[in-house]
Amino acid sequence: MSFLIERFVAAKDTLKPDVAEHEVVKCVSALRRRVGLRAVAPSNLEPFLASRNITSVAIEDDLKADGALVPLGRDFGAGFRMVLRRDLPEGRINFTVAHEICHTFFYERVPEVKFAAHAVDQEEERLCNYGAEEILMPALDLRRCAK
């Protein structure tokens, strides 16, 4: 487990292998409550952006990744700018936006790592994918449909 992920789950029982996933789901659930969407798949992610202090979304031609989150200052309160790659396939846009929203959880909980120079953490990327899935297709919705 990377230092970033250890800090993200610091107050939790790190002996459980899926504790980081549970923490991301808790963050997404709290976000959904804040924007008034408990277990409904969102049709519009804009309320999530505002709630996570993402003040603008830009499109760039030469972005190497699907998206990126750019801090506007040295703390969470300063906000963020989201950048999306121009040639991003239409079916991938919502997932990328949801993924970048999940990065804000790490900036908020582990600012000493995220606001300093650091390498890309593959575990964080995986957890942001997990959180994006929960934003777009909540497990509670899936369980209800499966019944």
Side-chain angles (χ1 to χ4, degrees):
M1 186 179 293
S2 70
F3 179 71
L4 174 65
I5 304 308
E6 285 177 10
R7 297 291 303 135
F8 183 72
V9 298
K12 308 303 172 199
D13 179 5
T14 56
L15 297 176
K16 295 180 182 176
D18 58 352
V19 71
E21 288 85 350
H22 287 297
E23 287 304 303
V24 168
V25 169
K26 282 184 190 177
C27 291
V28 169
S29 295
L31 174 59
R32 291 174 141 287
R33 281 191 302 276
R34 220 172 304 131
V35 299
L37 291 171
R38 292 198 178 223
V40 178
S43 58
N44 178 0
L45 295 176
E46 283 187 41
F48 291 86
L49 297 176
S51 182
R52 295 308 298 162
N53 212 9
I54 299 171
T55 59
S56 65
V57 178
I59 306 297
E60 288 189 10
D61 292 323
D62 58 346
L63 192 64
K64 302 288 188 242
D66 288 350
L69 193 66
V70 180
L72 298 176
R74 295 181 162 212
D75 62 25
F76 185 83
F80 302 92
R81 177 173 65 103
M82 184 182 295
V83 182
L84 302 173
R85 194 178 74 222
R86 181 173 306 282
D87 66 347
L88 198 60
E90 187 177 335
R92 183 87 176 157
I93 293 170
N94 274 355
F95 185 83
T96 302
V97 169
H99 174 97
E100 297 306 326
I101 289 168
C102 290
H103 278 293
T104 66
F105 302 139
F106 292 88
Y107 278 97
E108 185 174 37
R109 283 182 143 189
V110 196
E112 68 276 13
V113 174
K114 293 299 292 179
F115 286 100
H118 64 284
V120 172
D121 186 310
Q122 292 305 316
E123 186 68 4
E124 177 189 7
E125 294 300 319
R126 186 185 71 74
L127 290 169
C128 288
N129 286 342
Y130 192 84
E133 292 168 3
E134 186 66 21
I135 287 173
L136 297 171
M137 199 178 311
L140 184 56
D141 275 1
L142 289 177
R143 285 193 292 276
R144 285 180 183 158
C145 287
K147 286 182 181 180

